[in-house]
Amino acid sequence: MNLFDIAGQFSTLGNCLDVQPFGNGHINDTYAVTCASEGGVRRYILQRLNSRVFPHPTALMNNFAAVSVYLRSIVKKDAGDADRECLCLIPTVNGAAYYVDKQGEVWRMTQLIDNTEAYLIAENRDMFEDAGRAFGLFIKRLEGFDASTLIEVIPNFHNTVIRYQNLEKAIAEDKMGRAKGVQDLIAFARARKDKTGIIVNALEKGEIPLRVTHNDTKLNNVLIDTATKNAVCVIDLDTVMPGSLLYDFGDAIRVGCSTAQEDEKDLSKVHFDKENFVYFTRGFMRGIGGSITQKERELLPVGAILMTFECGMRFLTDYLEGDVYFKVAYPEHNLVRCRTQFKLVEELEENIAFMRETVQKVYAELHQDE
Ligand code: ADP
Ligand code: GN1
Ligand code: MG
């Protein structure tokens, strides 16, 4: 079946004229579909779910459908623009939420939100601050959603303790014979083993709340309006699951407070951008409003460190296992990514006092009238 036939399985307005690869995600295959009818031209996003990463696509699509419908109702209640501020599934011609092809691959379609762009690196700090607001608001908008109805699509996704165990397993198996070349990185990870449980333990003890979180808050998972440069819509709802707000804050800092791309080979270009941290924290706090707890605020800097460390461990694990998870463009790609993450971890650790002060200052600024 070609891509036109697959696009034809969905209830688009008009005939499908064009299907082109789109965006720069690491996981799914994403296409822009252009359709024309008497009413004009419309564009849609068609995605084939990565069945290796998401072995239970039906459960995932149930999460996706429930969350997107709920978000739409809240956006409407907030008098927002429901066609731009949240994703909306386009049903198949048979009224289903997704299409399964003859090979068993799962496809879905949403509206393409026009006049927006997904950035790998923010053009300026205001853009990053507004992305922070959008991610904070996303969590706030889902506060009333019953987390127990969501399936954990990737169990233990941000369980840093288990991510560490997976790394040790990959080192022990050393399937590709790559471990001897990365002893420095292995030592780096082992030196931080004791820290891996901080968030998991806080959740288990009930010191911080379990919420519905996005879990993959890189900057390119929020669409930015090309004219106003404001954050319009949080996308990539595949990993929306019960989790901690620290995951979302931390993962966004990991990406957006780096002065270089995730796969920059020249480590001298990779630094923690402190000013960006101030901006994002302000945006995120504004978005989440009074919902954030004191303990969560206290742990925000730890969230930034642990999410960066965890992602570095995941890249290293994948490198040792033979690049079976993340898409790679060359054999050392995951290794390069791991090195940037670990370099950032070092700088984040050096700046923990600065991050703590910033969180306190920003919170005080935003809540001075209370
Ligand atoms: P992945 O899980 O592979 O990252 P995403 O759902 O994040 O998949 O989509 C990949 C890219 O496609 C995004 O970074 C963005 O550029 C683009 N994209 C996805 N959905 C939309 C949409 N509804 N409107 C416009 N662009 C989109
Ligand atoms: C993947 O799907 P994408 O490209 O937004 C990954 C994230 C990683 C990120 C690293 C489902 O995100 O967890 O942090 O790559 N998503 C999944 O770039 O594993
Ligand atoms: Mg994405």
Side-chain angles (χ1 to χ4, degrees), residues 71 85 87 117-120 122 126-143 158 211-224 230-240 244-257 279-289 291-292 300:
L71 272 176
E85 289 180 39
L87 293 180
E117 204 175 318
Y119 286 80
L120 288 170
D126 289 337
M127 178 184 284
F128 191 45
E129 176 170 343
D130 209 48
R133 182 195 53 76
F135 283 129
L137 184 60
F138 183 84
I139 297 180
K140 190 174 158 201
R141 281 180 165 163
L142 285 171
E143 257 182 346
H158 280 312
R211 300 171 178 271
V212 177
T213 48
H214 184 278
N215 297 309
D216 189 4
T217 50
K218 11 197 249 197
L219 183 65
N220 77 340
N221 282 333
V222 56
L223 297 177
I224 308 287
N230 287 334
V232 176
C233 180
V234 172
I235 59 166
D236 205 344
L237 307 182
D238 296 333
T239 49
V240 174
S244 164
L245 163 160
L246 303 172
Y247 302 156
D248 284 3
F249 180 82
D251 202 37
I253 295 300
R254 172 185 83 74
V255 185
C257 290
Y279 277 69
F280 186 86
T281 303
R282 192 161 52 220
F284 187 83
M285 293 269 213
R286 193 174 289 134
I288 189 102
S291 307
I292 190 166
L300 286 176

Side-chain angles (χ1 to χ4, degrees), residues 120-333:
L120 288 170
I121 291 190
E123 245 178 31
N124 55 48
R125 298 201 160 96
D126 289 337
M127 178 184 284
F128 191 45
E129 176 170 343
D130 209 48
R133 182 195 53 76
F135 283 129
L137 184 60
F138 183 84
I139 297 180
K140 190 174 158 201
R141 281 180 165 163
L142 285 171
E143 257 182 346
F145 187 93
D146 181 0
S148 70
T149 61
L150 289 176
I151 312 285
E152 235 189 306
V153 274
I154 305 180
N156 298 311
F157 190 57
H158 280 312
N159 186 323
T160 316
V161 175
I162 289 182
R163 293 295 188 183
Y164 179 83
Q165 288 165 3
N166 292 345
L167 172 61
E168 285 291 2
K169 195 165 154 267
I171 298 168
E173 287 176 359
D174 195 18
K175 282 184 194 147
M176 310 294 290
R178 287 173 163 178
K180 66 177 180 310
V182 295
Q183 287 304 314
D184 57 330
L185 297 171
I186 292 174
F188 184 95
R190 285 183 172 153
R192 285 156 182 81
K193 181 184 174 189
D194 289 354
K195 304 270 189 299
T196 52
I198 301 177
I199 302 178
V200 179
N201 292 342
L203 277 171
E204 269 173 14
K205 287 189 202 145
E207 291 170 359
I208 51 173
L210 189 71
R211 300 171 178 271
V212 177
T213 48
H214 184 278
N215 297 309
D216 189 4
T217 50
K218 11 197 249 197
L219 183 65
N220 77 340
N221 282 333
V222 56
L223 297 177
I224 308 287
D225 189 295
T226 38
T228 64
K229 305 288 180 187
N230 287 334
V232 176
C233 180
V234 172
I235 59 166
D236 205 344
L237 307 182
D238 296 333
T239 49
V240 174
M241 285 180 277
S244 164
L245 163 160
L246 303 172
Y247 302 156
D248 284 3
F249 180 82
D251 202 37
I253 295 300
R254 172 185 83 74
V255 185
C257 290
S258 171
T259 51
Q261 304 258 14
E262 195 173 74
D263 58 358
E264 172 58 59
K265 289 182 182 155
D266 179 355
L267 281 186
S268 71
K269 293 187 181 155
V270 182
H271 295 291
F272 170 46
D273 186 325
K274 291 166 75 172
E275 211 41 35
N276 263 16
F277 184 85
V278 178
Y279 277 69
F280 186 86
T281 303
R282 192 161 52 220
F284 187 83
M285 293 269 213
R286 193 174 289 134
I288 189 102
S291 307
I292 190 166
T293 68
Q294 192 192 333
K295 186 69 183 175
E296 285 175 324
R297 288 203 308 276
E298 247 174 71
L299 286 175
L300 286 176
V302 171
I305 296 172
L306 275 190
M307 287 302 101
T308 311
F309 178 44
E310 179 188 282
C311 196
M313 286 197 292
R314 291 175 64 194
F315 289 140
L316 183 56
T317 305
D318 200 30
Y319 176 70
L320 294 171
E321 289 180 340
D323 310 312
V324 290
Y325 188 91
F326 294 105
K327 288 182 185 170
V328 288
Y330 54 90
E332 258 76 53
H333 207 160

